[in-house]
């Protein structure tokens, strides 16, 4: 177990910069997630930490020790691969024992540790099977046991759940978390699935084309997105162009949008007189009958353009003026409100906790 | 960065160096010699080639023979593959034996045994002559060559077509039928156009093999001018003199083959159809007269393919004098002589084949690994180098190696080493191809998993990659063993005193009309090929062919 520091790491393939000055500090024992869309550089960063890729510039430190030039096999890492990468010619037991044997542990130690870890992942009875004879979930567990049995300084996982079906994915999240919590192994988890990231992580780093967009706890990222990219990636969000008019105290700003005025939280970088972006989560917008007087702060007057009934909730697309559409959701259950019909005029109330960020 | 250079960089350099020394350097020497004149560069060789009608006839005949055999082999192989892929009938399981015949029976033996059957003193020839007074046309010449080569080479087209048909998506046929085409129209409009490129690729391979063929051409050619024989004769005649003509003729052969391979790579292979998915239509069970006809056809082909084995074994245990074998007699004299006074070729063959197979496979495993898994500009170059021998027929390879290592700082002619190098180089493209095929199925993550668990790269290769490659390596091993023991065209050029192998001995006995000793050696050779293969297939459960 180790604290990991990534210092100014950059990597380019030819002219394509894949990582640009990545800085991260990952505390000992945390579950840390690298999140971002496909192609943003997650795998490259993870493989740089593992040592399969040497960065062009920058350093990787494990507990303050510079490992940038240390070859992979001496870094003491555990890795779980997307395709599991179980050795097909070896039994589950031999797969899990592989790393211990490489370290020259004696027979009885190997057998005891392997048995304990197989037990922990629920494969105690399947040690004699070959990987081809296991289900997807069982392979995933074997791969986890193989990576953890060597008590690695850091556990690296690259989209380990993406080959499983939806239901199994949710169960495996819990298995992984339980194992991580029990061993307190520093874990770096790569995914493009925001739900996975939010539900599992202590901290998350969001990557945008090789640059860290924001690092924080799941709540930080959801409630206080640093920019439109993060807001859009974490949960759904309406990202709408606004003009920032002036500051309004207590961190709020007044912004103009489609002839309406809004009072919302401003981020540090958004200043009066500049263009900004309003980030409004559909599930936080309130839809009501068109009864507010024109000019009421934080109320946008519009018309239902489209309705998607999804059972638990209904998603409305509302047209505001001529140019703007906004997505709002109403949840079934609590209020028993009747559905709104397309064409019906509505008021969209934007909560004052919505954020305006620099464009 | 140091971990990048070692060990793979060093090993890549080593592989390239070996190829440069034993493939590139001999080829360049050959090209240089063909353009050498009295003082430096000259075009004497080319001028003499163009001015000698016999050489031009040789070129023309070679092309004609190539086309004739390719067409004949296609006419046999394609319908046969179609019947096997699409119908189920009695005795069908026997077809699995056919590729085995090609592997275990060296060309020179096929040739010799057909002479025992249909040659001037063959038992069928004699039986017809004595009983019915019918005189068969001479087996020497075009007819015999085309007949034997078709038998030897049709399996390439048969296997290639069979694989394509088995990968064919049956839904395409159903779609065609649903759109109103009859079954027969569907075969011609949908099935044949889809598998045609696969057939053509294999047909072109057959053409290049015919161009380079030595054994059948020299034994049955009956002085018909053919490039491969003219090249060999030029080599023999120029021994000790200037090697201009042998080099020029070699170059003509290389060019001919290179053109065909270029067209194949450039225009035909890219038209190969990759079936996204789908399952080939199930074989239809046919009974009654059609089933009997198909069964009869299979029986005939299997018998024709294995007849050589029966013939040489019977001949090996019969009394014989010169070209005459006394059928129906029994004698151990021939075998006894082969195992006592004449045992040298047997020992040589065993020695060379073991060393060459071990070395060749080790090299193939390493090189294919570098090419597939350690992509870089250097391994890309290696990839091109290792397929070069495909353009070189055995005779030409032998000539190039002799020219390169006859003088200078590295004299290898007349040594066992040059024999082994010859075998390894000749087989290299094939061994590497079969080793590489399994590597594509080994994901990189497998090695990375091992390295991440603390096992260094080279050790990971041995502990993780080699065991997974094992099945295909084992089959490459078996094929190399068989083809090395059978090799004649290159080894007959490079061998020297005391290095005679079994195929060379068989050829020389046939050439001087001694069918008894030839048959005895042939029987021994087949045993040497078959017994280790049978044992290892049995013990190691090797599957020789990817095509089920
Ligand atoms: N070996 C490579 N050579 C060239 N480009 C690469 C290589 N590896 C990754 N890339 C590029 O770097 C970018 C980031 O890749 P990757 O780290 O795999 O992204 P992610 O895992 O987030 O999907 C992609 O645009 C990819 O095309
Ligand atoms: Mg990735």
């Amino acid at each position: 177990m180790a604290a990991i520091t990534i210092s100014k790491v950059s990597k380019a393939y030819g002219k394509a910069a894949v990582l640009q000055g990545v800085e991260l500090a990952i505390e000992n024992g945390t579950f840390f997630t690298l999140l971002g869309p496909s192609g943003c550089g997650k795998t490259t960063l993870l493989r740089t930490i593992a040592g399969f890729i040497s960065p062009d510039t920058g350093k990787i430190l494990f507990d303050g020790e510079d490992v940038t030039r240390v070859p992979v096999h001496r870094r003491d890492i555990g890795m779980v691969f997307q395709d599991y990468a179980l050795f097909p010619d070896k039994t589950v037991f031999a797969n899990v024992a592989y790393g211990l044997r490489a370290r020259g542990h004696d027979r009885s130690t190997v057998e005891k540790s392997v048995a304990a870890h197989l037990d922990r992942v629920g494969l105690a009875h399947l040690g004699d099977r070959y990987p081809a004879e296991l289900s997807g979930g069982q392979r995933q567990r074997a791969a986890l046991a193989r990576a953890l049995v060597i008590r690695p300084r850091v556990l690296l996982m690259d989209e380990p759940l993406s080959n499983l079906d939806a239901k199994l994915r949710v169960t495996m999240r819990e298995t992984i978390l339980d194992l991580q919590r029990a061993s307190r192994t520093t874990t770096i988890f790569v995914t493009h699935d925001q739900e996975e990231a939010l539900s599992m992580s202590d901290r998350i780093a969001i990557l945008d084309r090789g640059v860290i967009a924001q690092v924080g706890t799941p709540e930080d990222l959801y409630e206080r997105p640093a920019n439109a990219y993060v807001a859009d990636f974490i949960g759904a969000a309406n990202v709408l162009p606004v003009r920032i008019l002036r500051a309004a105290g207590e961190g709020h700003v007044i912004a103009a949008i489609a002839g309406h005025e809004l009072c919302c939280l401003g981020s540090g970088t958004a200043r009066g007189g500049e263009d900004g972006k309003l980030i409004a989560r559909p599930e936080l917008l309130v839809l009501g009958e068109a009864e507010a007087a024109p000019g009421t702060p934080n109320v946008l007057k519009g018309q239902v353009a489209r309705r998607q009934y999804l059972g638990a909730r209904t998603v409305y697309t509302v047209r505001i003026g001529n140019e703007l559409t906004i997505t709002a959701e109403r949840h079934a259950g609590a209020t028993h409100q009747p559905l709104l019909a397309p064409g019906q005029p509505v008021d969209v109330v934007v909560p004052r906790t919505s954020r305006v960020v620099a464009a | 960065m140091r971990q990048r250079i070692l060990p793979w960089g060093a090993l890549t350099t080593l592989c390239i160096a070996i190829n440069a020394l034993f493939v590139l350097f001999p080829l360049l020497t050959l090209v240089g010699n063909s353009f050498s004149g009295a003082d430096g560069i000259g075009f004497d060789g080319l001028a003499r080639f163009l001015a000698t009608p016999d050489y031009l006839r040789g070129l023309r005949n070679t092309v004609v023979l190539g086309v004739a055999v390719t067409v004949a082999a296609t006419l046999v192989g394609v319908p046969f593959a179609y019947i096997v892929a699409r119908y189920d009938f009695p005795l069908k399981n026997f077809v699995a034996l056919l590729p085995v015949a090609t592997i275990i029976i060296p060309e020179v033996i096929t040739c010799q045994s057909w002479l025992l059957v249909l040659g001037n003193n063959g038992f069928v020839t004699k039986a017809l002559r004595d009983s019915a007074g019918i005189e068969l046309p001479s087996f020497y010449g075009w007819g015999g060559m085309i007949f034997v080569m078709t038998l030897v080479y049709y399996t390439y087209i048969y296997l290639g077509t069979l694989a394509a048909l088995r990968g064919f998506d049956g839904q395409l046929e159903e779609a065609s039928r649903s759109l109103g085409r009859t079954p027969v129209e569907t075969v011609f409009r949908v099935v044949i156009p889809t598998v045609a490129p696969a057939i053509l690729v294999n047909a072109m391979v057959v053409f290049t093999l015919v161009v380079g063929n030595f054994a059948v051409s020299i034994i049955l050619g009956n002085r018909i001018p053919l490039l491969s024989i003219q090249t060999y004769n030029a080599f023999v005649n120029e021994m000790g003199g200037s090697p201009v003509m042998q080099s020029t003729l070699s170059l003509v052969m290389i060019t001919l083959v290179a053109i065909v391979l270029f067209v194949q790579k450039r225009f035909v292979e890219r038209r190969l159809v990759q079936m996204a998915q789908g399952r080939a239509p199930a074989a239809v069970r046919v009974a009654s007269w059609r089933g009997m006809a198909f069964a009869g056809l299979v029986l005939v082909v299997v018998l024709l393919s294995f007849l050589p084995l029966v013939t040489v074994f019977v001949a090996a245990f019969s009394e014989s004098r010169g070209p005459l074998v006394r059928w129906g007699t029994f004698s151990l004299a021939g075998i006894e002589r082969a195992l006592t006074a004449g045992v040298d070729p047997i020992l040589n063959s065993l020695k060379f084949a073991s060393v060459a197979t071990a070395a060749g496979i080790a090299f193939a495993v390493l090189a294919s690994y570098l090419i597939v898994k350690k992509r870089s500009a250097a391994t890309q170059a290696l990839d091109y180098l290792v397929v070069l021998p495909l353009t070189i027929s055995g005779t030409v390879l032998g000539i190039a190696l002799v020219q390169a290592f006859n003088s200078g700082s590295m004299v290898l002619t007349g040594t066992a080493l040059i024999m082994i190098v010859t075998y390894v180089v000749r087989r290299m493209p094939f061994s590497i191809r079969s080793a590489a095929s399994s590597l594509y199925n080994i994901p990189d993550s497998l090695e990375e998993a091992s390295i991440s668990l603390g096992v260094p790269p080279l050790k990971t290769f041995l502990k993780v990659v080699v065991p997974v490659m094992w099945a295909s390596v084992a089959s490459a091993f078996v094929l190399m063993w068989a083809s090395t023991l059978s090799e004649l065209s290159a080894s007959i050029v490079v061998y020297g005193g005391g290095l005679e192998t079994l195929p060379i001995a068989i050829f020389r006995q046939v050439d001087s009309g001694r069918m008894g000793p030839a048959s005895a050696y042939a029987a021994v050779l087949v045993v040497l090929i078959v017994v280790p293969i049978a044992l290892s297939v049995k013990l190691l459960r090797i599957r020789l062919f990817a095509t089920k």
Side-chain angles (χ1 to χ4, degrees):
Chain A
M1 280 147 276
I4 313 288
T5 311
I6 295 157
S7 167
K8 300 200 186 79
V9 164
S10 296
K11 179 77 191 175
Y13 289 110
K15 282 202 184 102
V18 177
L19 296 176
Q20 302 178 52
V22 172
E23 293 268 2
L24 282 177
I26 299 167
E27 278 171 40
N28 193 358
T30 50
F31 193 105
F32 193 95
T33 296
L34 298 174
L35 177 65
S38 168
C40 70
K42 307 180 295 290
T43 297
T44 307
L45 182 55
L46 193 79
R47 291 167 58 79
T48 310
I49 298 170
F52 290 117
I53 296 174
S54 335
D56 298 339
T57 59
K59 281 184 190 153
I60 310 283
L61 310 175
F62 285 11
D63 274 338
E65 170 205 351
D66 185 350
V67 296
T68 320
R69 304 278 147 203
V70 176
V72 182
H73 60 277
R74 284 201 241 110
R75 282 194 191 191
D76 239 342
I77 55 169
M79 199 152 177
V80 176
F81 296 82
Q82 198 169 359
D83 59 357
Y84 320 125
L86 294 172
F87 308 124
D89 59 320
K90 296 180 172 58
T91 60
V92 170
F93 186 94
N95 263 282
V96 178
Y98 189 88
L100 292 174
R101 288 182 177 147
R103 284 165 173 70
H105 290 292
D106 66 70
R107 230 182 125 103
S108 67
T109 322
V110 171
E111 276 178 19
K112 245 188 281 160
S113 301
V114 174
H117 275 82
L118 284 178
D119 194 39
R120 221 166 282 170
V121 297
L123 293 180
H125 55 302
L126 298 179
D128 293 333
R129 295 256 188 110
Y130 285 89
E133 303 164 338
L134 299 182
S135 71
Q138 290 168 337
R139 282 181 213 176
Q140 180 70 79
R141 286 162 201 271
L144 258 172
R146 184 178 68 180
L148 282 172
V149 74
I150 56 171
R151 307 195 156 281
R153 301 173 82 182
V154 54
L155 177 64
L156 306 174
M157 298 197 252
D158 192 354
E159 313 223 6
L161 303 180
S162 58
N163 281 345
L164 300 175
D165 63 55
K167 209 158 187 178
L168 204 50
R169 222 177 289 168
V170 177
T171 345
M172 277 310 295
R173 279 186 206 167
E174 286 161 21
T175 311
I176 292 176
L177 266 187
D178 289 348
L179 288 168
Q180 196 269 339
R181 299 276 183 252
S183 63
R184 300 299 320 165
T185 309
T186 310
T187 299
I188 305 179
F189 184 91
V190 162
T191 182
H192 64 264
D193 179 343
Q194 44 126 346
E195 194 180 295
E196 235 167 72
L198 291 176
S199 66
M200 299 175 78
S201 318
D202 294 320
R203 288 168 72 75
I204 301 172
I206 296 200
L207 274 164
D208 177 12
R209 281 161 292 172
V211 178
I212 303 278
Q214 188 174 0
V215 185
T217 63
E219 305 90 283
D220 283 339
L221 300 181
Y222 182 77
E223 286 167 15
R224 290 174 288 281
N227 53 42
Y229 177 85
V230 173
D232 199 33
F233 202 80
I234 294 276
N238 293 290
V239 178
L240 306 169
V242 293
R243 178 98 193 146
I244 300 168
L245 302 176
R246 59 185 180 276
E250 290 175 7
H252 286 71
V253 293
I254 305 293
I257 179 169
H260 301 74
E261 279 194 11
L262 301 173
C263 176
C264 293
L265 280 173
S267 74
T269 47
R271 272 175 234 297
E274 287 180 0
D275 285 337
K277 285 213 162 103
L278 169 70
I279 296 163
R281 303 230 175 249
E283 63 272 27
L284 299 180
L285 294 173
V286 180
L287 278 181
E289 306 282 332
E291 49 201 15
T296 313
N298 284 34
V299 173
L300 306 177
K301 299 196 85 60
Q303 238 182 7
V304 174
R306 196 164 350 125
R307 182 178 79 195
Q308 271 179 282
Y309 178 72
L310 299 173
R313 62 202 166 101
T314 308
V315 179
Y316 293 97
T317 308
V318 178
R319 181 173 297 287
I320 315 282
N322 282 335
E323 319 228 297
L324 211 62
T325 57
I326 190 164
T327 307
E329 282 181 23
R330 255 188 184 181
H331 282 255
T335 50
H336 292 293
Q337 290 158 309
L339 294 180
L340 301 169
Q344 190 176 334
V346 285
D347 286 351
V348 181
V349 183
V350 180
R352 289 166 59 99
T353 49
S354 304
R355 299 176 75 85
V356 170
V357 298
Chain B
M1 289 275 104
R2 220 187 67 225
Q3 80 231 40
R4 286 285 166 71
I5 306 297
L6 288 172
W8 307 122
L11 288 171
T12 307
T13 314
L14 180 71
C15 287
I16 291 181
I18 290 176
N19 263 280
L21 182 62
F22 291 124
V23 180
L24 209 52
F25 168 58
L27 264 185
L28 293 177
T29 310
L30 184 83
V31 174
N33 282 340
S34 68
F35 290 113
S36 66
D39 34 33
I41 292 183
F43 294 90
D44 299 0
L46 202 58
R48 255 169 64 200
F49 177 81
L50 293 174
T52 314
D54 223 30
Y55 287 145
L56 295 175
R57 258 198 300 277
L59 176 59
R60 196 196 58 203
N61 287 342
T62 298
V63 173
V64 169
L65 182 68
V67 171
V69 173
T70 307
V71 168
T74 308
L75 290 180
V76 176
V78 172
F80 202 56
Y82 188 83
I83 291 171
V84 170
R86 293 302 174 82
Y87 298 105
D88 229 349
F89 47 87
L91 302 183
K92 185 179 163 184
N93 288 340
F94 276 98
V95 296
L97 288 173
L98 292 175
V100 176
T102 330
I103 292 173
I104 63 171
I105 312 178
E107 277 173 34
V108 58
I109 295 185
T110 312
C111 236
Q112 176 215 354
S113 64
W114 282 107
L115 277 178
L116 288 172
V117 178
L118 295 173
N120 295 344
N121 297 300
F123 66 80
V124 170
T125 321
K126 273 209 296 207
L128 285 177
R129 187 187 297 146
D130 297 347
S131 62
I134 298 172
E135 194 62 45
L136 284 183
S138 169
F139 196 61
Y140 293 94
W142 289 99
M145 279 198 294
I146 294 175
F147 176 78
V148 173
M149 285 193 194
T150 303
L151 265 183
V152 171
Y153 293 133
Y154 86 92
T155 37
Y156 289 86
I157 292 175
Y158 162 68
L159 287 177
T161 311
L162 192 60
L165 283 172
R166 291 211 161 133
F168 186 84
D169 182 356
Q171 290 179 28
L172 295 181
E173 267 168 279
E174 287 165 10
S176 160
R177 300 274 294 279
S178 75
L179 293 168
R181 294 284 182 194
T182 67
V184 175
E185 280 177 338
T186 298
V187 168
F188 281 94
R189 286 182 175 267
V190 177
V191 182
I192 290 180
T194 322
V195 292
I199 299 173
L200 201 53
V201 163
N202 290 290
M204 290 172 119
V205 169
V206 169
F207 181 86
T208 64
L209 291 173
V210 175
V211 169
N213 179 285
F214 174 77
V216 182
S217 314
I218 197 157
I219 295 177
L220 298 178
N222 196 27
R223 287 193 282 280
I224 293 173
L226 283 170
L227 274 181
S228 61
I229 309 307
Q230 289 172 326
T231 312
Y232 175 72
N233 289 338
F235 168 77
V236 174
N237 294 334
E238 288 176 334
M239 206 93 81
S242 146
V244 174
M245 221 45 235
Q246 53 176 282
S247 310
T248 307
L249 289 166
S250 295
L251 210 56
V252 174
M253 284 178 71
I254 292 177
T255 312
L256 189 57
V257 172
I259 289 172
V260 174
L261 290 181
F262 175 77
V263 171
Q264 185 200 47
K265 264 255 158 321
R266 192 65 201 277
F267 300 105
V268 184
E269 271 192 1
R270 62 173 52 176
R271 311 193 63 153
L272 284 179
V273 179
Q274 287 300 327
M275 287 288 161
Q277 56 193 60
R279 170 169 302 173
V284 180
R285 176 131 206 114
V286 287
S288 72
W289 66 270
R290 231 171 16 144
M292 300 308 281
F294 290 164
L297 183 68
V298 167
L299 214 57
V300 168
V301 178
V302 170
L303 283 182
L304 286 181
S305 302
F306 282 93
L307 187 66
L309 273 193
V310 181
T311 322
V312 294
F313 268 93
V314 173
F317 290 97
S318 300
E319 290 171 15
S320 69
R321 186 150 33 83
L324 292 177
V325 174
R326 295 217 181 87
W327 302 102
T329 60
F330 179 81
S331 159
L332 284 174
I335 294 288
E336 206 180 303
R337 211 203 70 88
L339 293 177
T340 52
V343 78
D344 283 350
I346 300 176
L347 298 180
N348 282 338
S349 272
L350 273 179
K351 195 167 69 187
F352 298 151
S354 335
V355 178
T357 303
I361 296 300
F363 185 81
V365 170
L366 178 60
S368 62
Y369 177 75
L370 295 171
I371 290 167
V372 177
K373 294 288 187 186
K374 302 289 158 194
R375 299 246 172 93
S376 70
T379 59
Q380 186 61 247
L382 182 62
D383 194 14
Y384 287 123
L385 277 178
V386 297
V387 295
L388 262 187
L390 281 182
T391 57
I392 318 171
S393 67
T395 314
V396 174
L397 175 68
I399 290 176
L401 284 169
V402 167
Q403 290 183 3
F405 299 110
N406 208 8
S407 58
S409 53
M410 221 179 148
V411 178
L412 297 179
T413 42
T415 66
L417 181 60
I418 200 166
M419 298 293 282
I420 287 159
V421 166
T422 306
Y423 292 131
V424 172
V425 171
R426 187 131 159 72
R427 195 63 202 165
M428 185 168 62
F430 305 98
S431 331
I432 287 185
R433 191 181 296 165
S434 55
S437 68
S438 64
L439 277 175
Y440 288 110
N441 298 329
I442 303 178
D444 292 347
S445 60
L446 218 55
E447 279 172 83
E448 291 177 356
S450 165
I451 296 173
S452 77
L453 290 166
V455 178
L458 199 54
K459 208 163 154 206
T460 287
F461 169 67
L462 295 174
K463 281 184 75 164
V464 172
V465 181
V466 172
V468 180
M469 283 176 81
W470 168 241
S472 65
V473 171
S475 76
F477 221 95
V478 162
L479 296 175
M480 175 137 181
W481 172 259
S483 61
T484 302
L485 276 175
S486 315
E487 212 289 332
L488 174 65
S489 57
S491 40
I492 200 167
V493 174
V494 299
Y495 90 109
L499 298 176
E500 192 180 54
T501 63
L502 277 172
I504 298 175
I506 296 169
F507 168 71
R508 290 182 37 178
Q509 300 293 353
V510 172
D511 201 36
S512 43
R514 288 193 294 267
M515 282 303 187
S519 302
Y521 278 139
V524 172
L525 178 53
V526 171
V527 168
L528 291 188
I529 292 174
V530 170
V531 171
I533 292 183
L535 281 181
S536 49
V537 167
K538 196 97 199 137
L539 294 179
L540 308 174
R541 299 207 195 89
I542 296 172
R543 277 189 34 220
L544 279 186
F545 304 99
T547 41
K548 278 155 272 170

